[in-house]
Amino acid sequence: MTRRLFRAMFALVLVVVLCCMILFLGAVSAYFTKVQIRQLEGELAIAAQVVAQEGTGLLEGLDQNLDCRITWISPEGEVLYDNRSQAGEMENHLQRQEVQQALTEGTGRSTRYSGTLMERSLYVARRLPDGTVLRLSVTQNSVLRLMLQMSESLILIVAGVLALAYVLSRRLSMQAVKPLNALDLDNPLANTRYPEIQPLLRRLDSQQRQLRAQSTQLNQRQKEFNTVTRSLNEGLVLLNTTGTILSINPAAASLLEVTPNCLGADFSIANRNPEIQALVDHALSGQKGEKTLSLAGGQYQAVANPVRSDGELFGVVVLLFDVTQKHQAEQLRREFTANVSHELKTPLHAISGYAELMKAGMVPREDMIRFSEKIYSETQRLVRLVEDILRLSRLDEGAADMQWETVDLYAAAREKVTELTAAAELSQVKLTLEGSAGEIRAIPQLISAIVFNLVDNAIKYNRSGGSVTIRVTPEEEAVTLEVRDTGIGIPEAHQERVFERFYRVDKSHSKAVGGTGLGLSIVKHAVRILGAQLRLESREGEGTAITIRFPREETHTA
């Protein structure tokens, strides 16, 4: 801006100076022209009076080198005398403006310009008493010729003017721009040096307020977006059309093993997973990519989706969903289906085989009772298995159709001890109930299932002459149920899996005692629904203790 202002001011000063010089020369020329005309008129008056008194003989002796030219003209326009030329050789002057004006008015005046010689001639004429016309003329240089004659002086003057114009223009342009450069754009209205730019400053102030408001909104939205993305368990990565990382949340950074401060980096360089890079490349070409991958010890669904705006590719969004539980649930369902099929197949084959032998009459009459007992035993095993499966299905649905009530845990344990006393005596196991009454908010059916399965397992997996102790301990905020036996115990390697469906530590022993493999799984699901805490302690060959702490207040757990 300073340079442009300097050039403009310099050109303006130069043009003004040149115009002033031309006007000055023109004014000087006009002034001297008037002066010369007045002088010519005075000289003409004197000459006319002399000629009128002394006669024309006086003209013959005039010097030809006079500054002015004297011409005597007859009333018919014939040149009678000229101090510069031969009168006989000169053309008729009757049509000359000054001559005609002198003949008619007594005096005349005219000016003629010669473009070739760049001169201007001034003429004054006066009519004499005898009717003749006496004319005086003088030659004057034009302004252009005068400038050419003064060229050396003018060049020096112009050079000086240019130097002065350069200095002044540079100084003035810098002084004019300096306040503009010093404007406080953060507070435009505080600048009062130039009133002419106040509308611009007000517009800047208005725009800055709008920008600050928009910036505040954008920062707030960015904070909200960052807060939301940081709290997501799913991984989220935003990329532009060149694959540059625009945003990445901590979950994605952890799963992809990249640093969270990789914003602005190329995703293909920061990422080390070739499968995800292939999905991103596919999305950058405009097509959605999706694949299940193993990341950080779990199963994740990776989705790379192109983002379009007005039909053009704007970027790519990469989402990483944790599907580990879903994958495990599907695996459990497959295993459950296979286990149920296997568990059902064994008693069904036994029943079918016994029934087929009896139908074919191949069983002696004295063995009919024994075969019937076998069929009944396998049928009861099927019934128990189906009931446990149905019970687990209800627990998987959250037992929403069951009612919460106030339950005395000690009374429920006493009821189940009474129910299982016969089985304990048959297995030569001593049952002991200890503790006192303790009321809790729970689902009675689930409490019964928990106590029954724990005591039943303690009896089945005990040794002859062993014991099972059931203890109910009321506390201020909870009631604890403990079932301790002196049975075969659970090896440490199997303790984390005993609550899985159909999992058996000793399969041969489980089949011998008629277990379905679902008892502890039912206990685990019921404890989760009731919001209780379960703890298992066991040593192989010494026995097992399972402790469940029930909260007194009602707790719903999905």
Side-chain angles (χ1 to χ4, degrees):
M1 181 177 177
T2 305
R3 185 175 299 175
R4 294 180 62 182
L5 185 60
F6 165 75
R7 287 199 296 263
M9 294 182 67
F10 182 79
L12 178 63
V13 171
L14 180 61
V15 170
V16 169
V17 169
L18 291 178
C19 290
C20 289
M21 291 179 62
I22 293 172
L23 292 174
F24 175 76
L25 290 175
V28 169
S29 176
Y31 172 77
F32 281 109
T33 298
K34 292 180 180 180
V35 171
Q36 284 186 330
I37 289 176
R38 285 197 296 268
Q39 289 177 352
L40 284 175
E41 288 178 344
E43 292 173 358
L44 178 61
I46 296 172
Q49 186 176 5
V50 171
V51 171
Q53 293 178 359
E54 302 295 334
T56 58
L58 184 63
L59 298 175
E60 298 295 337
L62 294 177
D63 188 0
Q64 294 184 354
N65 296 322
L66 291 175
D67 291 337
C68 61
R69 183 177 183 179
I70 302 176
T71 306
W72 188 28
I73 304 168
S74 69
E76 293 78 19
E78 180 181 358
V79 177
L80 301 177
Y81 173 79
D82 189 273
N83 67 336
R84 298 278 180 89
S85 302
Q86 295 294 328
E89 297 177 356
M90 297 179 69
E91 61 181 4
N92 191 287
H93 281 39
L94 185 62
Q95 300 300 322
R96 301 294 175 90
Q97 178 182 352
E98 70 276 4
V99 175
Q100 287 186 355
Q101 190 175 6
L103 290 173
T104 58
E105 300 178 6
T107 59
R109 181 190 301 172
S110 69
T111 302
R112 284 189 285 278
Y113 178 77
S114 173
T116 304
L117 299 176
M118 291 188 294
E119 294 178 343
R120 183 171 56 179
S121 298
L122 305 178
Y123 297 93
V124 293
R126 179 182 289 270
R127 187 182 63 202
L128 300 179
D130 59 358
T132 59
V133 176
L134 184 65
R135 185 185 73 175
L136 297 183
S137 66
V138 66
T139 301
Q140 185 183 51
N141 292 328
S142 65
V143 175
L144 181 60
R145 186 168 184 178
L146 185 62
M147 292 178 65
L148 292 176
Q149 291 176 351
M150 298 173 62
S151 59
E152 293 182 0
S153 300
L154 289 176
I155 290 174
L156 293 176
I157 293 173
V158 170
V161 169
L162 288 177
L164 181 61
Y166 176 84
V167 174
L168 293 177
S169 299
R170 184 176 179 84
R171 184 174 181 180
L172 290 175
S173 61
M174 293 180 67
Q175 289 180 348
V177 174
K178 184 177 180 180
L180 295 177
N181 293 332
L183 288 177
D184 184 5
L185 297 180
D186 293 331
N187 189 13
L189 297 181
N191 305 286
T192 58
R193 181 67 178 271
Y194 292 119
E196 295 80 5
I197 64 173
Q198 285 301 312
L200 173 62
L201 295 177
R202 285 193 292 269
R203 184 68 178 271
L204 285 174
D205 182 69
S206 175
Q207 290 183 347
Q208 284 189 358
R209 288 198 303 269
Q210 294 178 3
L211 289 174
R212 283 194 292 267
Q214 293 175 356
S215 177
T216 302
Q217 292 179 357
L218 288 175
N219 290 334
Q220 182 64 28
R221 292 179 181 177
Q222 184 66 37
K223 289 179 181 178
E224 293 174 355
F225 176 79
N226 292 337
T227 301
V228 171
T229 55
R230 286 194 194 101
S231 62
L232 288 176
N233 293 325
E234 293 77 13
L236 174 64
V237 184
L238 301 180
L239 309 175
N240 63 8
T241 53
T242 61
T244 302
I245 300 175
L246 301 178
S247 177
I248 182 170
N249 68 343
S254 176
L255 291 172
L256 300 178
E257 297 181 354
V258 300
T259 57
N261 57 352
C262 61
L263 298 181
D266 193 318
F267 185 76
S268 60
I269 298 176
N271 172 53
R272 301 176 183 177
N273 193 307
E275 294 178 299
I276 291 183
Q277 185 60 47
L279 291 177
V280 170
D281 293 339
H282 198 59
L284 287 173
S285 66
Q287 298 181 355
K288 179 180 179 180
E290 186 173 347
K291 192 174 184 180
T292 302
L293 307 172
S294 296
L295 298 173
Q299 295 294 317
Y300 284 82
Q301 187 75 15
V303 180
N305 197 26
V307 179
R308 299 184 181 276
S309 177
D310 297 330
E312 296 184 1
L313 186 65
F314 186 71
V316 172
V317 176
V318 180
L319 294 172
L320 302 172
F321 298 99
D322 188 356
V323 294
T324 304
Q325 293 184 353
K326 179 181 178 182
H327 182 76
Q328 292 175 348
E330 291 177 353
Q331 182 67 25
L332 288 175
R333 278 195 291 271
R334 288 193 294 267
E335 292 178 359
F336 180 73
T337 302
N339 288 329
V340 168
S341 300
H342 177 73
E343 294 293 335
L344 291 176
K345 181 173 64 175
T346 302
L348 285 175
H349 281 179
I351 293 172
S352 176
Y354 291 138
E356 186 177 0
L357 290 175
M358 293 172 66
K359 178 183 177 182
M362 298 177 64
V363 179
R365 183 173 296 273
E366 61 274 13
D367 292 334
M368 290 291 288
I369 296 176
R370 186 169 57 85
F371 272 60
S372 298
E373 290 177 350
K374 288 286 187 181
I375 293 174
Y376 177 79
S377 175
E378 295 296 336
T379 303
Q380 291 301 309
R381 181 180 174 188
L382 281 176
V383 170
R384 288 193 301 272
L385 181 59
V386 171
E387 288 178 347
D388 286 346
I389 292 173
L390 293 175
R391 191 175 291 110
L392 269 177
S393 297
R394 292 184 67 186
L395 294 178
D396 284 337
E397 295 174 0
D401 57 336
M402 297 182 180
Q403 298 296 322
W404 288 71
E405 300 176 7
T406 300
V407 179
D408 185 350
L409 189 57
Y410 184 83
R414 184 176 56 206
E415 180 183 348
K416 293 305 171 184
V417 168
T418 302
E419 183 180 338
L420 292 170
T421 298
E425 292 177 352
L426 185 62
S427 300
Q428 298 181 359
V429 174
K430 180 182 178 181
L431 287 181
T432 303
L433 176 62
E434 299 177 353
S436 59
E439 292 185 347
I440 59 173
R441 288 289 295 176
I443 299 174
Q445 298 96 313
L446 299 187
I447 294 296
S448 296
I450 291 173
V451 177
F452 178 85
N453 282 287
L454 291 180
V455 177
D456 186 50
N457 274 6
I459 295 172
K460 288 178 179 178
Y461 296 97
N462 215 314
R463 58 171 58 88
S464 180
S467 64
V468 176
T469 302
I470 303 97
R471 181 179 293 105
V472 177
T473 306
E475 300 175 5
E476 182 178 353
E477 297 180 355
V479 179
T480 302
L481 170 67
E482 181 185 18
V483 179
R484 183 180 297 273
D485 64 61
T486 58
I488 61 176
I490 303 172
E492 186 176 355
H494 297 272
Q495 290 181 10
E496 292 184 0
R497 301 194 60 189
V498 291
F499 293 97
E500 296 179 7
R501 301 176 185 185
F502 296 108
Y503 188 82
R504 297 184 178 92
V505 177
D506 187 347
K507 295 183 179 181
S508 61
H509 185 75
S510 296
K511 290 184 178 180
V513 298
T516 63
L518 297 175
L520 289 181
S521 183
I522 292 173
V523 170
K524 177 183 177 182
H525 281 66
V527 166
R528 178 177 57 83
I529 292 173
L530 296 175
Q533 299 175 355
L534 184 148
R535 185 175 73 252
L536 169 67
E537 297 177 1
S538 181
R539 290 187 179 181
E540 188 175 4
E542 295 182 9
T544 300
I546 295 179
T547 304
I548 303 176
R549 191 172 185 269
F550 296 93
R552 288 186 179 272
E553 297 296 329
E554 180 177 331
T555 303
H556 294 276
T557 304

